[in-house]
Amino acid sequence: AAGVIQSPRHLIKEKRETATLKCYPIPRHDTVYWYQQGPGQDPQFLISFYEKMQSDKGSIPDRFSAQQFSDYHSELNMSSLELGDSALYFCASSPQTGTDPGNTIYFGEGSWLTVV
Amino acid sequence: AQSVTQLDSQVPVFEEAPVELRCNYSSSVSVYLFWYVQYPNQGLQLLLKYLSGSTLVKGINGFEAEFNKSQTSFHLRKPSVHISDTAEYFCAVSSSYGNKLVFGAGTILRVKS
């Protein structure tokens, strides 16, 4: 079965640079979530989109922005990178249309961002 | 607001022994409960979920969990673990009125031979 696809899988950036992560949700999933998992930490919710509109916002820094496009893929843009942004960034997707009543969220493999 | 507490940060256990990973939650609304597993350097994989109905839910890899509303718990169990079960396990909750998952701090299960 198709899963959530994230790219790139690994990314190394220098401080103050910009990074963009991409996420392709499971087909027919119209909701996308972004999570950040720091070393030894639990995943923290950043932001979510439903039908290309922001649906919820968590602990996302102002330096970060995200959007969902017409084909439902999403991009997380991170600017002025700091050492503390080094983390595993998960994208996840779920169907909102009632086919999965628990709104089960399916995660991608994650994108490792290292800021040096 | 919801929160999840995983009472054990690490659980060492011998192979073929039973294991229980504890999870307690708090929420002012109805919740859905999940267990995810994360193998080293990998993503999060759904083990099982509780939506409604039977309080005992069975998941993949022989795991099961029991929802206890009065104790606000959703403990994960496996009667006999394997070396390959070594991983970090996250309990998570989502509200029936929202979608985002709130995770616990995770429990590292270390299975020893």
Side-chain angles (χ1 to χ4, degrees):
Chain A
V4 178
I5 306 298
Q6 292 188 244
S7 68
R9 292 297 313 280
H10 299 271
L11 190 60
I12 299 175
K13 290 286 186 177
E14 295 188 354
K15 284 191 301 184
R16 294 179 289 278
E17 283 192 319
T18 297
T20 297
L21 305 181
K22 295 185 179 183
C23 169
Y24 297 87
I26 292 172
R28 292 180 294 281
H29 282 195
D30 46 21
T31 302
V32 167
Y33 313 79
W34 286 98
Y35 285 80
Q36 177 192 57
Q37 186 180 26
Q41 304 294 315
D42 56 290
Q44 294 291 318
F45 171 72
L46 293 179
I47 195 167
S48 64
F49 293 88
Y50 167 61
E51 286 291 347
K52 292 148 281 186
M53 299 288 288
Q54 180 180 309
S55 55
D56 201 352
K57 191 173 181 180
S59 52
I60 184 169
D62 292 340
R63 298 177 289 108
F64 293 10
S65 65
Q67 58 181 324
Q68 186 180 32
F69 295 86
S70 57
D71 63 351
Y72 296 103
H73 94 272
S74 179
E75 295 184 4
L76 177 66
N77 299 293
M78 301 174 282
S79 62
S80 303
L81 288 169
E82 302 172 357
L83 295 178
D85 296 328
S86 295
L88 180 59
Y89 289 84
F90 284 112
C91 176
S93 72
S94 74
Q96 281 280 18
T97 52
T99 59
D100 190 340
N103 289 333
T104 300
I105 297 174
Y106 299 89
F107 285 80
E109 294 282 306
S111 292
W112 285 97
L113 171 66
T114 303
V115 182
V116 297
Chain B
Q2 297 124 16
S3 67
V4 177
T5 302
Q6 290 184 243
L7 297 164
D8 307 295
S9 59
Q10 292 197 39
V11 173
V13 64
F14 284 103
E15 195 173 18
E16 298 183 8
V19 70
E20 178 180 83
L21 306 183
R22 296 180 292 171
C23 171
N24 287 89
Y25 69 93
S26 66
S27 176
S28 57
V29 299
S30 298
V31 296
Y32 300 133
L33 293 157
F34 305 82
W35 276 99
Y36 284 85
V37 60
Q38 185 176 31
Y39 297 102
N41 300 316
Q42 293 191 26
L44 292 163
Q45 181 181 1
L46 179 67
L47 268 182
L48 49 78
K49 60 186 177 184
Y50 172 78
L51 307 179
S52 64
S54 173
T55 57
L56 182 65
V57 292
K58 294 186 183 298
I60 62 172
N61 301 341
F63 284 92
E64 62 181 34
E66 186 159 18
F67 171 62
N68 188 318
K69 189 174 182 178
S70 63
Q71 297 186 5
T72 60
S73 68
F74 191 55
H75 300 332
L76 181 70
R77 302 185 184 100
K78 186 170 182 177
S80 175
V81 295
H82 301 129
I83 294 287
S84 59
D85 292 324
T86 295
E88 187 159 18
Y89 292 79
F90 290 95
C91 182
V93 61
S94 72
S95 164
S96 50
Y97 300 105
N99 305 307
K100 68 184 180 190
L101 285 170
V102 175
F103 285 89
T107 297
I108 296 174
L109 174 64
R110 298 190 191 280
V111 181
K112 303 176 288 185
S113 58

